[in-house]
Amino acid sequence: MLSPVKVLVVASSLAALVLGAAGAARTATPKTTGVDPLIRIAVRITDNQITVTLKKVARLETAYFRVVNTGKLTHDFHVGGQKSPALKHGQVGHVLVQFADRGAFLYRCALHCSNKMRGFVQVYSPIG
């Protein structure tokens, strides 16, 4: 027969084992959702080229394109189904896009631009 001290030790060990297993089996509670990340991307349009500072963004991040026309002609900027207004020399425009799908999305200029004034923004999934 076990002494009362041994019974107490065995019972407390068993309780600790059961509570530890239950705690380990619990799933993590989701954290509070915050504001979507805003990725700032600078775009400079000249009469000969478009320069985009960041060409790779994660899926579901909001991309904020700040478009500056440094050329002499009027230009605009198209990306992800959105476009900036026509920008004269020195004007600044903004385009907000949230890419829901992965892949390559064309960006381009449509006003007074050659076919070479285009490129792609790569959208990837950070999860895999």
Side-chain angles (χ1 to χ4, degrees):
M1 185 145 243
L2 295 173
S3 70
V5 174
K6 286 185 180 178
V7 169
L8 184 61
V9 169
V10 170
S12 64
S13 297
L14 230 130
L17 183 64
V18 168
L19 290 175
R26 260 187 1 206
T27 58
T29 57
K31 296 187 181 199
T32 305
T33 56
V35 177
D36 290 335
L38 182 67
I39 307 303
R40 296 177 188 275
I41 303 172
V43 179
R44 192 180 87 226
I45 302 177
T46 66
D47 292 334
N48 298 320
Q49 68 179 5
I50 297 178
T51 305
V52 178
T53 58
L54 184 66
K55 294 185 181 182
K56 189 173 183 182
V57 296
R59 185 178 157 270
L60 297 179
E61 287 182 336
T62 302
Y64 169 78
F65 294 89
R66 182 178 184 270
V67 185
V68 179
N69 180 7
T70 58
K72 294 178 182 176
L73 300 173
T74 302
H75 298 288
D76 64 353
F77 181 75
H78 295 248
V79 64
Q82 302 294 322
K83 69 176 188 170
S84 72
L87 303 171
K88 295 180 182 178
H89 172 73
Q91 286 186 318
V92 178
H94 309 281
V95 178
L96 279 172
V97 180
Q98 186 176 51
F99 297 101
D101 298 322
R102 294 181 297 168
F105 291 84
L106 176 71
Y107 65 82
R108 67 185 176 92
C109 172
L111 290 175
H112 306 114
C113 299
S114 68
N115 287 335
K116 294 179 183 179
M117 294 180 66
R118 59 183 60 214
F120 291 95
V121 173
Q122 295 293 328
V123 179
Y124 67 94
S125 176
I127 298 171

